Amino acid sequence: MVQKPVISGNKITIPSNLEYLTDVDNFIESTLQSYGTDESTIADIAISVSELVNNAIEHGSKSGTAKEVTVEINRQNDKVQIRVRDRGNGFDPEQLDDPLADENLLKEVGRGIFIVKSLMDSVDIQTSDKGTTITITKAIK
Amino acid sequence: MVQKPVISGNKITIPSNLEYLTDVDNFIESTLQSYGTDESTIADIAISVSELVNNAIEHGSKSGTAKEVTVEINRQNDKVQIRVRDRGNGFDPEQLDDPLADENLLKEVGRGIFIVKSLMDSVDIQTSDKGTTITITKAIK
Amino acid sequence: MKLSDRQQNGVIILEPRGKIMGGPDATLLYDKLHEIIESGNKQVVIDLSKVDWMNSTGLGILISSYTTLRNNNGELKLANITDKIQSLLTITKLVTVFDSYDSVDDAVKAFK
Amino acid sequence: MKLSDRQQNGVIILEPRGKIMGGPDATLLYDKLHEIIESGNKQVVIDLSKVDWMNSTGLGILISSYTTLRNNNGELKLANITDKIQSLLTITKLVTVFDSYDSVDDAVKAFK
Ligand SMILES: Nc1ncnc2c1ncn2[C@@H]1O[C@H](COP(=O)(O)OP(=O)(O)O)[C@@H](O)[C@H]1O
Ligand SMILES: Nc1ncnc2c1ncn2[C@@H]1O[C@H](COP(=O)(O)OP(=O)(O)O)[C@@H](O)[C@H]1O
């Protein structure tokens, strides 16, 4: 298990602690810059990755045994694909509250996945009691 | 102007700062004990005085020049009378929000004077742009 | 006011003691509550058995604990409400807001 | 995120800078807000001009600032919302909650 952020190639592994959010962000944003991605797209992807890493740490690793989170970034022609993985107990993506419902409007939480879905072109959620892997893609020029 | 709580006879004067709430409370509760007042009545009076002193500091002195608050306690036969005075800009006691209205139920503030009125036998509010003096009385045995 | 906290079956029990009258009292409980929420615990019981009395500041602290937890998908329950506090909750109509129990054990069980 | 604050005509202006992504960010703004409320100031503007981007944690911080101030008889206004933040507020329907202004001056004036 890593004790601090470890980058190897296109992948960063962090101990499950919110203090490492900025390390993931630096890694993702600099990789996207090296692809020549425009600023607005970088922001959309960075926002989405931060949502998923927050969730992996706060909801995922909390319950699991392996307290680390990995984030992998790949370029495929004119799109970028990012995969965030934790080893928690998973969740049921069908059971999420609707953040647009009146009774949830003033809740401080519950908008993360909703925002990722609206900013990204595709969101794939694989989740079981052994962990969660969420893969997002977004077109870049 | 006093720099720390000063007790002279039946009166305590404090600098206008919430850190001195406990000094006023100690003074009032020990005076009431010396009158032989029962515990439940002491609590009702202590709660009410704490409301008025909070207000004198937070709402009263804030705007005024003399940043001190005085609290005077008197026994009159079978009742106790307490007077809390600040030198602030006063307020309009007719314009208070109703803390029982649905839209105010989850407000964190706005119940002080309402509680004083329900716990005390009488509440007299004298207020002008030169300051506020509130006198409460409660029967004791 | 003094404040201590412990865990029981994954539920956080907060135990304020003394008088809740204002000033630093509010900050103390507020900070503790945010520490709790940030560490991922969202089921909280406030045990009021050791509170001599509270004023409207105390009620404000209970309300802010209630709304903060609710808005973070957590939940607050009260336990061991004393007669004095019960009568304040009644006259202010706040009895209708809080979920309260006769003992900490009952409150903790109610989270299941 | 970094945070600075100043006063203008009795209104507190909070200026977060950088990215608001979670972790310590929430606590920082929360603590500042409670310091402000306890010192008796209840009119607050959050100037968003220097925020690169925020995620749902940032939105949660804005909501908690809004509700906390409202529940203490105070008021929150937003100023200089960037395009990125505007689109988040729109898709989450939070545009309907916040009062927002094109400049800090306009927001401060609106408190009169
Ligand atoms: N990686 C994960 N592991 C376990 N549960 C998760 C994970 N990601 C999300 N969840 C669950 O989905 C819910 C909604 O997530 P999200 O929309 O990001 O809102 P928030 O995290 O603010 O509650 C979370 O409260 C949590 O219960
Ligand atoms: N001594 C005072 N000087 C000036 N204004 C006061 C004073 N006492 C009360 N007020 C005003 O009356 C309002 C209601 O007071 P209160 O019922 O104690 O609720 P709270 O203090 O929680 O707002 C206060 O918000 C304030 O505007």
Side-chain angles (χ1 to χ4, degrees):
Chain A
M1 204 111 76
V2 297
Q3 301 301 317
K4 55 188 185 56
V6 173
I7 295 176
S8 85
N10 62 339
K11 189 161 129 185
I12 181 169
T13 303
I14 57 164
S16 189
N17 190 313
L18 293 176
E19 70 183 279
Y20 302 115
L21 280 175
T22 49
D23 295 281
V24 174
D25 182 56
N26 288 338
F27 172 69
I28 292 295
E29 294 208 29
S30 61
T31 306
L32 290 168
Q33 268 153 12
S34 76
Y35 296 169
T37 316
D38 68 286
E39 245 189 77
S40 168
T41 307
I42 291 183
D44 287 345
I45 296 173
I47 292 171
S48 302
V49 171
S50 77
E51 298 290 1
L52 299 179
V53 176
N54 259 302
N55 281 352
I57 294 169
E58 288 205 299
H59 307 301
S61 304
K62 191 119 265 159
S63 48
T65 45
K67 306 275 185 207
E68 62 182 39
V69 171
T70 60
V71 181
E72 199 181 317
I73 179 166
N74 283 294
R75 183 179 191 162
Q76 303 173 326
N77 302 317
D78 49 2
K79 71 178 186 193
V80 61
Q81 186 202 63
I82 294 169
R83 182 165 285 168
V84 177
R85 172 203 276 186
D86 67 67
R87 295 300 189 181
N89 288 346
F91 68 109
D92 183 352
E94 306 289 312
Q95 296 294 321
L96 298 180
D97 289 341
D98 174 10
L100 302 186
D102 277 352
E103 70 272 21
N104 294 329
L105 209 57
L106 289 182
K107 287 231 174 147
E108 295 169 32
V109 291
R111 293 177 188 81
I113 292 175
F114 176 84
I115 287 175
V116 177
K117 286 183 175 162
S118 33
L119 296 181
M120 296 297 98
D121 296 338
S122 77
V123 179
D124 173 73
I125 305 180
Q126 301 291 336
T127 177
S128 76
D129 57 4
K130 301 220 163 31
T132 298
T133 301
I134 300 188
T135 308
I136 54 178
T137 67
K138 175 92 177 169
I140 54 173
K141 275 137 237 162
Chain B
M1 205 109 76
V2 297
Q3 301 301 317
K4 55 187 185 62
V6 173
I7 295 176
S8 85
N10 61 340
K11 189 161 128 184
I12 182 168
T13 303
I14 57 163
S16 190
N17 190 314
L18 293 177
E19 69 183 280
Y20 303 115
L21 281 175
T22 49
D23 296 282
V24 175
D25 181 57
N26 288 337
F27 172 69
I28 292 295
E29 294 208 29
S30 60
T31 306
L32 289 169
Q33 269 153 11
S34 76
Y35 295 169
T37 316
D38 68 286
E39 246 187 77
S40 167
T41 308
I42 290 182
D44 287 344
I45 296 173
I47 292 170
S48 302
V49 171
S50 78
E51 298 290 2
L52 299 179
V53 175
N54 259 302
N55 281 352
I57 293 169
E58 288 206 299
H59 307 301
S61 305
K62 192 117 262 163
S63 48
T65 45
K67 305 277 186 205
E68 62 181 40
V69 171
T70 61
V71 181
E72 200 181 315
I73 180 166
N74 283 295
R75 181 177 193 164
Q76 304 173 327
N77 304 318
D78 48 4
K79 71 179 184 190
V80 61
Q81 184 201 64
I82 294 169
R83 182 164 285 167
V84 177
R85 173 203 274 186
D86 68 67
R87 296 303 191 179
N89 288 347
F91 68 108
D92 183 352
E94 307 289 313
Q95 296 295 319
L96 299 181
D97 289 341
D98 174 11
L100 303 187
D102 277 351
E103 70 272 21
N104 295 329
L105 208 57
L106 288 183
K107 288 231 173 147
E108 296 170 30
V109 292
R111 293 176 187 83
I113 291 175
F114 175 84
I115 287 175
V116 176
K117 284 181 176 162
S118 32
L119 297 181
M120 296 296 99
D121 297 337
S122 77
V123 179
D124 174 73
I125 304 180
Q126 301 291 334
T127 177
S128 77
D129 59 4
K130 301 220 164 32
T132 298
T133 301
I134 299 188
T135 308
I136 54 178
T137 67
K138 176 90 175 171
I140 55 172
K141 276 136 234 164
Chain C
M1 185 185 79
K2 294 217 157 61
L3 182 66
S4 61
D5 65 287
R6 60 181 198 279
Q7 275 223 27
Q8 185 173 324
N9 293 342
V11 175
I12 304 285
I13 323 290
L14 293 179
E15 190 187 88
R17 290 185 307 284
K19 303 161 184 175
I20 309 185
M21 63 171 95
D25 297 339
T27 332
L28 195 64
L29 224 143
Y30 229 96
D31 289 353
K32 174 53 74 184
L33 207 71
H34 273 268
E35 203 183 299
I36 291 170
I37 290 171
E38 270 145 41
S39 70
N41 292 299
K42 286 163 183 176
Q43 301 187 319
V44 176
V45 173
I46 300 186
D47 175 2
L48 293 164
S49 56
K50 306 264 163 54
V51 174
D52 301 323
W53 54 257
M54 64 167 63
N55 62 13
S56 66
T57 305
L59 297 178
I61 294 173
L62 295 184
I63 293 168
S64 123
S65 305
Y66 168 85
T67 53
T68 302
L69 281 166
R70 194 191 53 179
N71 292 340
N72 284 280
N73 284 339
E75 213 182 321
L76 174 71
K77 296 184 189 299
L78 303 181
N80 298 318
I81 295 183
T82 61
D83 290 350
K84 269 287 161 232
I85 296 174
Q86 181 64 36
S87 80
L88 280 191
L89 292 176
T90 305
I91 61 171
T92 56
K93 280 198 182 169
L94 289 169
V95 265
T96 61
V97 170
F98 297 109
D99 227 21
S100 66
Y101 297 84
D102 288 342
S103 72
V104 169
D105 283 352
D106 285 354
V108 169
K109 270 185 216 128
F111 275 114
K112 290 296 109 76
Chain D
M1 183 185 80
K2 294 218 156 59
L3 183 66
S4 62
D5 65 287
R6 59 183 199 278
Q7 276 224 22
Q8 185 173 322
N9 293 342
V11 175
I12 304 286
I13 324 290
L14 293 179
E15 191 187 88
R17 289 187 307 285
K19 302 161 184 174
I20 309 186
M21 61 172 96
D25 297 340
T27 332
L28 195 65
L29 224 143
Y30 230 98
D31 289 354
K32 174 53 76 182
L33 207 71
H34 272 267
E35 201 184 300
I36 291 170
I37 289 172
E38 269 145 42
S39 71
N41 293 299
K42 287 164 183 174
Q43 301 187 320
V44 176
V45 173
I46 301 186
D47 176 2
L48 294 164
S49 55
K50 306 266 164 51
V51 174
D52 301 322
W53 53 256
M54 63 168 65
N55 62 11
S56 67
T57 305
L59 297 178
I61 294 173
L62 295 184
I63 294 169
S64 121
S65 306
Y66 168 86
T67 53
T68 302
L69 281 165
R70 194 191 55 179
N71 292 341
N72 284 281
N73 284 338
E75 214 181 323
L76 173 72
K77 295 181 190 300
L78 303 181
N80 298 318
I81 297 183
T82 60
D83 289 350
K84 268 291 157 225
I85 297 175
Q86 181 66 37
S87 79
L88 281 191
L89 291 176
T90 305
I91 61 171
T92 57
K93 280 197 181 169
L94 289 168
V95 265
T96 61
V97 169
F98 297 109
D99 228 20
S100 66
Y101 297 85
D102 288 341
S103 72
V104 169
D105 283 352
D106 286 354
V108 169
K109 269 185 214 129
F111 275 115
K112 286 298 108 76

